[in-house]
Amino acid sequence: MVFSIGETIKRLRRERGITQEQLAERLNISAQAVSKWENGLSLPDISQLAPLAREFQVSADVLVGLGTDGTDIGDILEQAYRLPDVEKTYDALQEALACYPNSPALLVNSLECGITLVCPESGGDYNRERAEQIYKNCERQARTLAEYSKNVNDIMRANMIMVILHSSYGNRAAAMKCAEKFPCRPDMTWNKMMSYIANAEGNYKDEVDYCQEDIDLHVYNLASILTQQGLAYEKLERYSDAKNSFRAVFSLVEIFDRERKQLLHLQERGDVYELLIRVCQRLGENEEAERWQMEKPVFD
């Protein structure tokens, strides 16, 4: 999506929480001039591009609507994920977003890295010192994504991340506002709709494939729910119940023969092996804990 320079100025100004009057004062122009830019009634003079870019900390290309194609964004993401840890990847994505602030792909990946750095449950990648700053940045980026992306999956994922982050920071009202955007029924998926279409067309091979993709989605979701339930049991010191919930995740793997890494290393809930080992230790079942430790694979 390409935005006019006025739309871009308006978005950048609002994202940074400044008024038209404040922007005008910093640029030494009238507030009426800023209003005309944002409403498409006039364009900034070329001499104003550099001050605007400095004010918003973006490139002049962003202001005049020169975006980047998918290949370039793909290259940026590839380079970012080659870095040695999540924090460095996150910082690289922030640098890229300074140039391309409305890129859905960059925003989504920034949010995914952000939740890993902000949530204590994420384990070793949690960054206590920067958590508050990253949380606020995620909040802003989620709003931007919701405003400009046309991809429902990206928007819903952004809302899901913000439910988790707002809840972690005690902001229940904001969490509820994001949670209310989700449907109550678990069968309202794209794969389910496509399976109906394939069935009506007599295309049963595609129907099978869509059903399988939907099963994969629900299996992963069930594994995540079981892991979350186990963690809640653990907080209640109901360690036997926690152990049963974590063991149920392993049963899912055995039944559906899915990719073990995907189901047993859940991004927001931690490594199920580690969680199971921990509750076994709290139950005093050290031999079983050691057995699970030995069976634990090394994840890439």
Side-chain angles (χ1 to χ4, degrees):
M1 183 182 295
V2 177
F3 300 97
S4 71
I5 187 169
E7 289 173 319
T8 301
I9 291 171
K10 181 188 292 186
R11 175 175 57 78
L12 293 172
R13 176 180 61 76
R14 287 178 173 177
E15 286 176 359
R16 284 149 182 79
I18 61 177
T19 65
Q20 289 182 343
E21 289 75 13
Q22 289 171 326
L23 178 61
E25 183 178 356
R26 294 174 188 180
L27 297 176
N28 196 28
I29 59 174
S30 69
Q32 185 180 20
V34 175
S35 177
K36 287 183 177 181
W37 295 347
E38 294 186 356
N39 288 291
L41 300 177
S42 66
L43 294 173
D45 186 86
I46 192 169
S47 63
Q48 292 290 351
L49 291 182
L52 279 165
R54 284 195 299 271
E55 176 62 31
F56 294 134
Q57 295 185 338
V58 299
S59 70
D61 285 351
V62 171
L63 291 173
V64 298
L66 295 177
T68 180
D69 61 34
T71 302
D72 290 339
I73 291 295
D75 290 343
I76 291 171
L77 291 172
E78 184 178 354
Q79 292 173 17
Y81 281 105
R82 286 178 181 171
L83 297 172
D85 58 55
V86 176
E87 188 172 6
K88 287 184 173 59
T89 297
Y90 178 81
D91 289 338
L93 292 174
Q94 304 322 299
E95 291 180 11
L97 280 164
C99 294
Y100 311 109
N102 57 344
S103 165
L106 291 175
L107 288 166
V108 168
N109 281 273
S110 176
L111 288 168
E112 295 290 357
C113 290
I115 192 173
T116 302
L117 295 169
V118 170
C119 282
E121 294 85 357
S122 64
D125 292 321
Y126 171 60
N127 187 316
R128 183 184 299 275
E129 290 73 23
R130 296 184 63 191
E132 182 75 23
Q133 171 208 344
I134 295 173
Y135 165 51
K136 294 297 184 184
N137 199 36
C138 285
E139 187 175 19
R140 179 179 63 79
Q141 290 177 350
R143 287 198 303 267
T144 301
L145 185 64
E147 185 174 357
Y148 293 108
S149 177
K150 292 185 176 181
N151 187 310
V152 174
N153 286 333
D154 288 348
I155 295 171
M156 298 311 289
R157 177 57 181 161
N159 276 291
M160 179 179 176
I161 287 173
M162 293 317 302
V163 168
I164 296 169
L165 295 187
H166 285 317
S167 300
S168 296
Y169 279 80
N171 194 344
R172 189 177 192 277
M176 287 295 296
K177 187 175 180 180
C178 293
E180 288 168 358
K181 300 180 185 296
F182 288 83
C184 296
R185 293 179 51 170
D187 61 335
M188 297 172 66
T189 66
W190 182 83
N191 287 316
K192 185 69 172 179
M193 301 307 108
M194 293 304 295
S195 73
Y196 288 143
I197 295 172
N199 177 275
E201 294 174 343
N203 190 346
Y204 304 118
K205 182 182 180 303
D206 280 357
E207 183 180 8
V208 167
D209 291 341
Y210 287 126
C211 288
Q212 186 60 64
E213 290 179 14
D214 216 27
I215 289 170
D216 290 344
L217 173 68
H218 288 298
V219 167
Y220 183 81
N221 185 48
L222 181 55
S224 179
I225 293 170
L226 284 166
T227 306
Q228 181 176 1
Q229 182 187 54
L231 287 165
Y233 277 138
E234 188 179 6
K235 295 288 178 61
L236 294 170
E237 298 184 359
R238 293 169 57 177
Y239 300 125
S240 293
D241 291 327
K243 177 182 173 181
N244 290 335
S245 292
F246 297 144
R247 286 290 302 271
V249 180
F250 287 86
S251 297
L252 278 175
V253 173
E254 294 171 5
I255 293 170
F256 290 96
D257 193 28
R258 298 287 170 246
E259 175 65 36
R260 295 178 69 86
K261 179 165 66 174
Q262 182 190 42
L263 287 179
L264 298 177
H265 188 65
L266 303 172
Q267 181 179 14
E268 286 128 19
R269 303 302 172 191
D271 186 324
V272 185
Y273 273 100
E274 290 291 342
L275 300 176
L276 185 53
I277 290 166
R278 188 169 69 199
V279 295
C280 285
Q281 290 171 339
R282 288 179 175 172
L283 286 167
E285 300 172 351
N286 294 325
E287 290 186 7
E288 183 172 355
E290 290 176 7
R291 188 175 73 250
W292 286 112
Q293 184 66 54
M294 292 178 64
E295 291 185 12
K296 178 186 173 184
V298 177
F299 295 123
D300 296 331

